[in-house]
Amino acid sequence: MPDTQALVNDFLNKLKKRKIEGSQATAKQTAELLRSVISQTRMPYTNQAAALIHSVKAVGERLIAANPVELAVGNVVRRVLHIVREEDLSLTTAAMAGLNLSAESDDEDDTDRDNHPALSAAAIAAASRSTLRPPSLQTLLEDVPDSAAVPHTSSSGGDSEGKSKSADKSSRSRKLKHDVIEAVNELIQDISTCHELIAEQAVEHIHQNEVILTLGSSRTVLEFLCAAKEKKRSFRVFVAEGAPRYQGHLLAKELVTRGLQTTLITDSAVFAMISRVNMVIVGAHAVMANGGVIAPVGLNMVALAAQKHAVPFVVLAGSHKLCPLYPHHPEVLLNELRSPSELLDFGEFSDCLDFGSGIGAPLLHVVNPTFDYVPPKLVSLFITDTGGHNPSYMYRLIADYYSADDLVLERRTTSGN
Amino acid sequence: MGAQKKGATARVSEDPEELARHPLQAILLADSFTTKFRPITLERPKVLLPLVNIPMINYTLAWLESAGVEEVFVFCCAHSKQVIGYLESSEWSSQPNFSVTTIESHNSISAGDALRLIYERNVIHGDFVLISGDTVSNMSLTQALQEHKDRRKKDANAIMTMVVKQSKPSPITQQSRLGTDELFMAINPVTKQLLYYEDKAEYSKGFISLDKTLIADNPSVILHNDKQDCYIDICSQEVLSLFTDNFDYQHLRRHFVKGLLVDDIMGYKIFTHEIHSSYAARIDNFRSYDTISKDIIQRWTYPFVPDVLCGSSAIKVERQGTYRASDVTLSRSAQLGSFIFIGQGTKIGNDTKISHSVIGERCTIGSNVTIEGSYIWNNVTIEDGCQLRNAIVCDGVILKSGAVLQPGVILSFKVVVGQQFVVPAYSKVSLLQQPTQQDSDEELEYADSTSGTGELRSDKLNGDIAPDLSETASELGTGGVGYIWKVFEGAYDEEWRHSVAPIPTDKLVKLMLDRDEDEELLTQDGNVISASGELKTVSDGNGSEDDDNEDSRDDYVSFEKEVEATFLRAVHENVKVDLAVLEVNALRLSYNMASVDCGGAIFYSMMKLAVESPHNSASELHRNAADIVTTWQKLLKSFLHDIDEEIEVILKFEEMCLESAKEFAALFPQILHLLYDKEILHEDAILRWADEKEGADESDKVFLKRSEKFIQWLREAEEEEEEEDE
């Protein structure tokens, strides 16, 4: 599959050079790339699901490593893996009738490190259960961060099926791939329409004559506000400019062209203005499993101000922004430090960066972080494409989208290397 | 080849539209053609030296790739095998939309040769980016390219766009940041055309001279000394053919740019593009290596920073600008300061202090080591108790316990420093012996660094070099291996300029003082010169006039000789005074001199004749002089019309007494009196001369004092006259 390889490399490059901005675009492109990876994967006679998972993982690991700050990449990779598992499972359950428990355990003994009775039991249990179940406490506890667990679980299914129904194989393999691609298409569809789904809920949240505050620019927020406007709500928007990139300026401009009453303020004026605000609505870079938010820099300050004045702090996030990791995970790079040139002019400050004179050490250190972490207790409500949720509910939502086996995707990578 | 070339140029001129569709190309010179990084570059090419743990060329290539360049020709010369080997094994050889082609040469000794060779290869088909492999940038080329193309459409002679960057609020920043000389550029603020380029302003002592036509031809000119040349050029194809046409062009700036600027026959123009928020700088010497490393650590070059370039899983940025690889073994008591980089697999011992330094991969650093502002490359072993300040330590070096590196030390590959040995400041240590013949001529200097010899030596190095080093072991203490390179006479003073160490305070003060004097001039230079402005752009006009004076002095000397010859002939052949006057006048016109000069010259000839004619005593000399003056007073008088000219004669006489005819020194007042008596000099002139001299230095007043009596007498006479008038 030379052609996928080129695509992957191209995308990797873009990620590395930080040429793709915004988690929606990244998520969509990742999903599309993975779709073509899946469609190009040669299906073996046995272990089809394992083969798919393997190739998706191989690409996914590289994508995540290329830009670990962009959590949407990892999210989509995990979503796709979850889809593969689900589709496999639903096919397996259909063929589960003639399953023999003893044959299963023989299989288990052949493997070198994975003769884990609890796991095999879990695999069978999982297989026999319905496909779209939320993970129970039992499965979460049983989850062992071992890569072999994943392919093997499905391989046992494949093998057992191979023994029982070999004639059915080719049609099934085509079916698996087809189903997976269908599901990934749905995912892509979801990602591109999440704005609309979120925006549909706008009227329920924005009321007449309210004052809404936002910071920086987010397409989701823009659509959300405009949707409320279209429903004949009349309200005012305060836009904090979002230094140092000043994307708030763009948002303000856009809002004005759509006919919304807009006030542009500096970030530092947020606290002064917050008492007049009825609701803060912001976008997010990623939502962590604990309900914490990784958001554009400055939002933590806004959230604190909102809390002080008991103003609801609402975060809009498409489901691709839901990250199954916790912020304390070592893989999670919470921040990206950008160039100081966004803050100050190099020419004017070049004497401060003059290492030839003086002690030879830089006395001026410019820190330009991209993101803030807003802890869950400061967030009043998440609005996702499936509706509004409490921060404490996020882990349940995440369990719907991701299978627990994939959470440790990256740890395997680092320990493996 | 010749036919091919013609074909290429013909096609270009016929079909400019086709050019637009060519992929953007770049020429990357993987050789700096200098020796500033010696001794390191004897063993490894400069572009492969690690800059914050990543070979320099990676920064350049990554930038070119992200700026939309699709085809890069890497020109390698010195250590070309190493460069080619590196590129082949690196990720660059397998990029989908970015091809890297190497061009190898063994006999190019300058950028000019390189470009001539590339022209012969006929691989460049349109506009290209010219850059050297030691440039770090994150600028976007789109705008600069567009500007270049638009200009080209309007004016086919606009063949090059140079990227410049504002940098310099303080007068010495250029020197102290990048270690480069002060750069003067004259730019037309409207068209951005570059009109003047001078990077050796240092040697003109704060003065530069501009061509008159520059100001006459341009409605406005801004003279900048606060711009930094980024050494990123967008060139049209003609640049290559120009290098081929002018086989003496070697250096890109010194020859090519300056050559184009002074050449008004072809009318080629160079323009500038200024970048503001993005970063661009070139590593020219050890000081800029230090500065740019620190800029990278401070993330000015984002996204070309180590954690992004390496793939972030390997290296993470922590607080205070600390970059740390994932598997560093760090003692709990080690103190890591701000702005440091620690590469993979490095071990750091107890109580070791590290601040603003870069430490490469797989290094072993013992306990109680102090590292400040140093660059330690890969596989270096530093034993307990060593101290390093502002040093560069190359791969495989071993510092035995207690060794001390003073500021500015460079340790090349695999050097071993003995126990407790103190390596003196600014020394360069290498396993290779210093090339014996070091040509002071800079043009020739890079010849042998680029020839294949460097490679041969490094091959030998891999074998056993130890035996013949044992004799020199003492040079670096017990157990030390390596040669300390000698610093040449006079060069020692200059070492600090390009070293990694900060400039010593005394030098800094001196530098500041030097510049302060120029400061006023510089600020004036910065002003816009109006279209009608006089030539005196440099305050007091010293700069431009000095040059004029140089020329006129030469003229004057030959004029003086002619006048003397004429006078002597007149004396010997008894030419009539009138005729002599005519002849001198003719000379005056042909040399374009003022009558002041004639008076001086004639008087000089007369006195010289008096000295040269035989005499035994001062009184005889006086008589000689008196005779001559009496005979030829008419000649002299005919050139002394006003008081200034008479003063000139006195000054001339003074000069003679000091230099050529010291015998007259004693007779000064007498001769002065004689001239007064003969009414050649008037009392006004003498008194004015006396007044002018009053304020002069003591040494200048020697003759004034001698003739004090005479002047006193003159003054009294004058007063009497005045009294009588009343």
Side-chain angles (χ1 to χ4, degrees), chain A residues 344-375:
Chain A
L344 38 88
D345 180 51
F346 182 83
E348 307 246 322
F349 279 82
S350 56
D351 56 342
C352 301
L353 303 164
D354 186 352
F355 313 117
S357 51
I359 57 164
L363 292 172
L364 177 70
H365 183 198
V366 185
V367 182
N368 181 12
T370 319
F371 303 118
D372 250 357
Y373 173 65
V374 182

Short mmCIF file of all heavy atoms in Angstrom, two decimals, chain A residues 344-375:
data_model
loop_
_atom_site.label_atom_id
_atom_site.label_comp_id
_atom_site.label_asym_id
_atom_site.label_seq_id
_atom_site.Cartn_x
_atom_site.Cartn_y
_atom_site.Cartn_z
N LEU A 344 6.38 39.68 21.50
CA LEU A 344 7.17 40.91 21.35
C LEU A 344 7.99 40.88 20.08
O LEU A 344 8.23 39.83 19.49
CB LEU A 344 8.05 41.15 22.58
CG LEU A 344 8.71 39.98 23.28
CD1 LEU A 344 10.04 39.72 22.64
CD2 LEU A 344 8.91 40.33 24.73
N ASP A 345 8.42 42.05 19.73
CA ASP A 345 9.14 42.23 18.48
C ASP A 345 10.61 41.92 18.69
O ASP A 345 11.26 42.49 19.57
CB ASP A 345 8.95 43.67 18.01
CG ASP A 345 9.67 43.91 16.71
OD1 ASP A 345 9.45 43.12 15.79
OD2 ASP A 345 10.45 44.86 16.64
N PHE A 346 11.12 41.02 17.90
CA PHE A 346 12.50 40.59 18.06
C PHE A 346 13.49 41.76 17.91
O PHE A 346 14.42 41.90 18.68
CB PHE A 346 12.82 39.52 17.03
CG PHE A 346 14.19 38.96 17.15
CD1 PHE A 346 14.46 37.97 18.07
CD2 PHE A 346 15.21 39.44 16.38
CE1 PHE A 346 15.72 37.47 18.21
CE2 PHE A 346 16.49 38.93 16.51
CZ PHE A 346 16.73 37.94 17.42
N GLY A 347 13.24 42.59 16.94
CA GLY A 347 14.15 43.70 16.67
C GLY A 347 14.32 44.60 17.88
O GLY A 347 15.42 44.96 18.27
N GLU A 348 13.18 44.91 18.50
CA GLU A 348 13.22 45.84 19.63
C GLU A 348 13.90 45.20 20.84
O GLU A 348 14.49 45.89 21.66
CB GLU A 348 11.80 46.22 20.03
CG GLU A 348 10.97 46.73 18.90
CD GLU A 348 10.62 48.17 19.10
OE1 GLU A 348 10.36 48.53 20.25
OE2 GLU A 348 10.61 48.91 18.11
N PHE A 349 13.75 43.90 20.95
CA PHE A 349 14.23 43.26 22.16
C PHE A 349 15.55 42.54 21.96
O PHE A 349 15.99 41.80 22.82
CB PHE A 349 13.17 42.27 22.67
CG PHE A 349 12.09 42.96 23.44
CD1 PHE A 349 11.05 43.57 22.79
CD2 PHE A 349 12.14 43.02 24.82
CE1 PHE A 349 10.07 44.23 23.49
CE2 PHE A 349 11.17 43.67 25.53
CZ PHE A 349 10.12 44.27 24.86
N SER A 350 16.17 42.75 20.80
CA SER A 350 17.36 41.95 20.54
C SER A 350 18.48 42.26 21.53
O SER A 350 19.36 41.45 21.72
CB SER A 350 17.83 42.12 19.10
OG SER A 350 18.05 43.46 18.82
N ASP A 351 18.44 43.41 22.17
CA ASP A 351 19.51 43.65 23.14
C ASP A 351 19.29 42.88 24.44
O ASP A 351 20.22 42.58 25.15
CB ASP A 351 19.69 45.15 23.42
CG ASP A 351 18.41 45.79 23.89
OD1 ASP A 351 17.35 45.20 23.67
OD2 ASP A 351 18.48 46.88 24.47
N CYS A 352 18.02 42.50 24.69
CA CYS A 352 17.76 41.66 25.85
C CYS A 352 18.20 40.24 25.59
O CYS A 352 18.35 39.44 26.49
CB CYS A 352 16.28 41.64 26.19
SG CYS A 352 15.63 43.24 26.55
N LEU A 353 18.39 39.91 24.32
CA LEU A 353 18.76 38.55 23.96
C LEU A 353 20.22 38.53 23.54
O LEU A 353 20.64 37.72 22.74
CB LEU A 353 17.88 38.06 22.82
CG LEU A 353 16.41 38.12 23.12
CD1 LEU A 353 15.61 38.01 21.86
CD2 LEU A 353 16.04 37.02 24.07
N ASP A 354 20.94 39.47 24.07
CA ASP A 354 22.31 39.63 23.68
C ASP A 354 23.16 38.85 24.66
O ASP A 354 23.33 39.24 25.80
CB ASP A 354 22.61 41.13 23.75
CG ASP A 354 23.97 41.44 23.23
OD1 ASP A 354 24.71 40.48 22.97
OD2 ASP A 354 24.28 42.62 23.11
N PHE A 355 23.67 37.70 24.20
CA PHE A 355 24.37 36.85 25.15
C PHE A 355 25.86 37.11 25.16
O PHE A 355 26.59 36.55 25.95
CB PHE A 355 24.10 35.38 24.81
CG PHE A 355 22.65 35.11 24.57
CD1 PHE A 355 22.20 34.68 23.34
CD2 PHE A 355 21.73 35.36 25.57
CE1 PHE A 355 20.86 34.46 23.13
CE2 PHE A 355 20.39 35.14 25.35
CZ PHE A 355 19.95 34.70 24.13
N GLY A 356 26.31 37.93 24.23
CA GLY A 356 27.74 38.21 24.16
C GLY A 356 28.18 39.15 25.25
O GLY A 356 29.29 39.09 25.74
N SER A 357 27.29 40.02 25.66
CA SER A 357 27.66 40.95 26.71
C SER A 357 26.98 40.50 27.99
O SER A 357 26.07 39.68 27.97
CB SER A 357 27.21 42.36 26.34
OG SER A 357 25.86 42.36 25.97
N GLY A 358 27.41 41.04 29.07
CA GLY A 358 26.82 40.67 30.35
C GLY A 358 27.25 39.30 30.79
O GLY A 358 28.33 38.84 30.46
N ILE A 359 26.37 38.59 31.49
CA ILE A 359 26.78 37.32 32.07
C ILE A 359 26.66 36.17 31.09
O ILE A 359 27.01 35.05 31.39
CB ILE A 359 25.96 37.01 33.34
CG1 ILE A 359 24.47 37.01 33.01
CG2 ILE A 359 26.27 37.99 34.44
CD1 ILE A 359 23.63 36.36 34.06
N GLY A 360 26.16 36.45 29.93
CA GLY A 360 26.08 35.39 28.92
C GLY A 360 24.85 34.52 29.05
O GLY A 360 24.64 33.63 28.27
N ALA A 361 24.04 34.79 30.04
CA ALA A 361 22.82 34.02 30.20
C ALA A 361 21.64 34.91 29.92
O ALA A 361 21.67 36.09 30.22
CB ALA A 361 22.73 33.49 31.62
N PRO A 362 20.62 34.36 29.29
CA PRO A 362 19.45 35.19 29.02
C PRO A 362 18.73 35.59 30.30
O PRO A 362 18.43 34.72 31.13
CB PRO A 362 18.58 34.30 28.14
CG PRO A 362 19.11 32.93 28.27
CD PRO A 362 20.49 32.99 28.80
N LEU A 363 18.48 36.83 30.46
CA LEU A 363 17.75 37.28 31.65
C LEU A 363 16.26 37.36 31.35
O LEU A 363 15.44 37.34 32.25
CB LEU A 363 18.26 38.66 32.09
CG LEU A 363 19.68 38.66 32.63
CD1 LEU A 363 20.17 40.07 32.86
CD2 LEU A 363 19.76 37.87 33.91
N LEU A 364 15.95 37.48 30.10
CA LEU A 364 14.54 37.59 29.72
C LEU A 364 14.06 36.23 29.21
O LEU A 364 14.67 35.63 28.34
CB LEU A 364 14.40 38.63 28.60
CG LEU A 364 13.00 38.80 28.03
CD1 LEU A 364 12.11 39.48 29.05
CD2 LEU A 364 13.04 39.59 26.75
N HIS A 365 13.02 35.76 29.79
CA HIS A 365 12.45 34.49 29.34
C HIS A 365 11.00 34.76 28.94
O HIS A 365 10.22 35.21 29.77
CB HIS A 365 12.52 33.46 30.48
CG HIS A 365 12.03 32.11 30.06
ND1 HIS A 365 11.67 31.15 30.96
CD2 HIS A 365 11.85 31.56 28.84
CE1 HIS A 365 11.29 30.06 30.31
NE2 HIS A 365 11.38 30.29 29.03
N VAL A 366 10.68 34.52 27.70
CA VAL A 366 9.32 34.76 27.23
C VAL A 366 8.60 33.42 27.17
O VAL A 366 9.07 32.50 26.52
CB VAL A 366 9.31 35.41 25.84
CG1 VAL A 366 7.91 35.76 25.44
CG2 VAL A 366 10.19 36.64 25.85
N VAL A 367 7.49 33.32 27.86
CA VAL A 367 6.73 32.07 27.84
C VAL A 367 5.41 32.34 27.13
O VAL A 367 4.69 33.27 27.49
CB VAL A 367 6.47 31.57 29.27
CG1 VAL A 367 5.73 30.26 29.22
CG2 VAL A 367 7.78 31.41 30.01
N ASN A 368 5.15 31.55 26.13
CA ASN A 368 3.96 31.75 25.33
C ASN A 368 3.19 30.43 25.22
O ASN A 368 3.25 29.75 24.21
CB ASN A 368 4.36 32.28 23.95
CG ASN A 368 3.18 32.54 23.07
OD1 ASN A 368 2.03 32.53 23.53
ND2 ASN A 368 3.42 32.73 21.79
N PRO A 369 2.49 30.06 26.28
CA PRO A 369 1.76 28.79 26.21
C PRO A 369 0.50 28.92 25.37
O PRO A 369 -0.06 30.02 25.24
CB PRO A 369 1.42 28.51 27.68
CG PRO A 369 1.38 29.85 28.31
CD PRO A 369 2.29 30.75 27.54
N THR A 370 0.08 27.82 24.80
CA THR A 370 -1.10 27.85 23.95
C THR A 370 -2.37 27.54 24.75
O THR A 370 -3.43 28.04 24.44
CB THR A 370 -0.96 26.82 22.83
OG1 THR A 370 0.38 26.88 22.35
CG2 THR A 370 -1.90 27.10 21.68
N PHE A 371 -2.22 26.67 25.77
CA PHE A 371 -3.43 26.17 26.42
C PHE A 371 -3.43 26.42 27.92
O PHE A 371 -2.40 26.64 28.54
CB PHE A 371 -3.59 24.66 26.17
CG PHE A 371 -3.64 24.31 24.73
CD1 PHE A 371 -2.67 23.49 24.17
CD2 PHE A 371 -4.64 24.81 23.91
CE1 PHE A 371 -2.71 23.18 22.83
CE2 PHE A 371 -4.69 24.49 22.58
CZ PHE A 371 -3.72 23.68 22.03
N ASP A 372 -4.63 26.36 28.44
CA ASP A 372 -4.89 26.44 29.87
C ASP A 372 -5.57 25.14 30.26
O ASP A 372 -6.27 24.54 29.45
CB ASP A 372 -5.88 27.57 30.14
CG ASP A 372 -5.24 28.73 30.85
OD1 ASP A 372 -4.05 28.63 31.17
OD2 ASP A 372 -5.92 29.74 31.07
N TYR A 373 -5.43 24.76 31.49
CA TYR A 373 -6.22 23.63 31.97
C TYR A 373 -7.27 24.18 32.91
O TYR A 373 -6.96 24.84 33.91
CB TYR A 373 -5.32 22.62 32.68
CG TYR A 373 -6.11 21.52 33.35
CD1 TYR A 373 -6.84 20.62 32.58
CD2 TYR A 373 -6.14 21.39 34.72
CE1 TYR A 373 -7.58 19.62 33.18
CE2 TYR A 373 -6.87 20.39 35.34
CZ TYR A 373 -7.59 19.51 34.56
OH TYR A 373 -8.33 18.52 35.15
N VAL A 374 -8.54 23.93 32.61
CA VAL A 374 -9.63 24.38 33.48
C VAL A 374 -10.12 23.16 34.25
O VAL A 374 -10.59 22.20 33.64
CB VAL A 374 -10.78 24.99 32.65
CG1 VAL A 374 -11.88 25.50 33.57
CG2 VAL A 374 -10.25 26.10 31.76
N PRO A 375 -9.98 23.15 35.56
CA PRO A 375 -10.39 21.98 36.33
C PRO A 375 -11.90 21.78 36.28
O PRO A 375 -12.66 22.74 36.09
CB PRO A 375 -9.91 22.29 37.74
CG PRO A 375 -9.72 23.75 37.78
CD PRO A 375 -9.40 24.20 36.40
#
